[in-house]
Amino acid sequence: MLLLISPINREEALESIEGGADIVDVKNPKEGSLGANFPWVIKEIRELTPEDKLVSATLGDVPYKPGTVSLAAMGAHVSGADYIKVGLYGTKNHDEAVEVMENVVKTVKEISEETIIVAAGYADAHRVGAVEPMEIPKIAKDAGCDLAMLDTAVKDGHTLFDYLDLNQLKEFVDEAHGYGLLTALAGSVKKDQLKPLHDIGCDVVGIRGAACVGGDRNTGKIHHTAVAELKELCDSF
């Protein structure tokens, strides 16, 4: 299981790299759960990240505007992102979500077949009116994505496990794997939740809060010792 750590700037990216993160995920919590950072931040972090590590970029908690989101995807690609994550926030159903994602896939894959396209849904989708979380694997498959992901939309201390139990998460992972997709799970994931996620076959675990000093994704800063502890734990399973 790969460890994805989400820095917001150069300083935090260096801490993530030093701590041994497998994927450096550039985001901006001020703009939401999967808030987008600026192209120059993505570019700077890609340039300082070793070539053997992947850089991920979030496009934001996106609206149902396929053209707008496709242009954002092109911006992330040009800025150097190896993973491009789309938070399906404003899409209400399967068809709307597929329309957004298939246009992102077309935009990026015409230029770079290697770039990994991630359809990200929310375990607490009912709180924001987004597409249901258990529909994400089929959406990702139907749109031609590479990875199906879940996070939480509202960051108020609730975790992924407050909305979906381990059996449901295993069902999510198994369905995605059945379609030939990778999976990622995030949402205020705690250290003691890593082993259960590993055991159900999750490919990537996404973390910010648990890698920050004080454990707060908004007021804390990522520190390499916390990242190293998480990485060591993931490698021990």
Side-chain angles (χ1 to χ4, degrees):
M1 184 170 70
L2 298 179
L3 177 63
L4 178 150
I5 300 291
S6 300
I8 62 173
N9 54 33
R10 174 190 176 89
E11 175 191 356
E12 287 194 340
L14 288 170
E15 294 286 332
S16 303
I17 293 163
E18 185 178 346
D22 298 299
I23 302 168
V24 181
D25 176 56
V26 189
K27 68 164 54 171
N28 177 12
K30 290 180 180 178
E31 294 196 4
S33 169
L34 293 170
N37 215 316
F38 298 98
W40 56 87
V41 176
I42 300 169
K43 183 173 184 291
E44 181 181 29
I45 290 175
R46 176 64 273 181
E47 288 172 350
L48 63 85
T49 302
E51 287 187 11
D52 63 341
K53 290 186 186 292
L54 296 171
V55 170
S56 167
T58 56
L59 300 189
D61 297 315
V62 307
Y64 172 44
K65 293 186 177 180
T68 298
V69 181
S70 296
L71 275 173
M74 180 63 80
H77 167 70
V78 169
S79 302
D82 306 294
Y83 267 56
I84 295 177
K85 289 163 54 181
V86 183
L88 293 167
Y89 191 93
T91 54
K92 309 298 183 189
N93 55 51
H94 171 275
D95 290 349
E96 289 184 359
V98 168
E99 186 182 356
V100 168
M101 292 310 311
E102 67 185 1
N103 281 287
V104 168
V105 169
K106 176 178 173 59
T107 298
V108 177
K109 295 289 189 179
E110 283 186 351
I111 303 165
S112 172
E113 275 289 332
E114 297 76 32
T115 301
I116 295 167
I117 306 298
V118 179
Y122 305 94
D124 56 345
H126 63 282
R127 301 180 76 184
V128 296
V131 64
E132 284 299 309
M134 300 306 286
E135 292 188 40
I136 297 298
K138 188 170 190 306
I139 287 165
K141 187 259 295 186
D142 290 349
C145 301
D146 304 291
L147 190 150
M149 178 176 183
L150 287 181
D151 203 328
T152 49
V154 182
K155 300 296 185 180
D156 59 358
H158 290 87
T159 78
L160 176 71
F161 288 86
D162 289 318
Y163 304 105
L164 297 172
D165 63 31
L166 199 59
N167 287 333
Q168 289 171 303
L169 293 172
K170 185 177 188 303
E171 182 184 334
F172 179 95
V173 169
D174 289 347
E175 182 179 351
H177 285 169
Y179 296 142
L181 302 170
L182 296 170
T183 60
L185 295 171
S188 302
V189 172
K190 312 299 184 190
K191 280 195 297 185
D192 62 355
Q193 295 169 336
L194 292 175
K195 180 72 161 62
L197 293 180
H198 169 271
D199 290 349
I200 63 171
C202 176
D203 300 293
V204 180
V205 61
I207 290 179
R208 174 168 173 81
C212 288
V213 176
D216 190 295
R217 74 190 297 270
N218 294 312
T219 61
K221 291 184 178 179
I222 290 173
H223 195 274
H224 66 271
T225 56
V227 177
E229 190 176 334
L230 293 165
K231 175 61 176 167
E232 185 178 353
L233 198 55
C234 287
D235 288 349
S236 72
F237 302 143

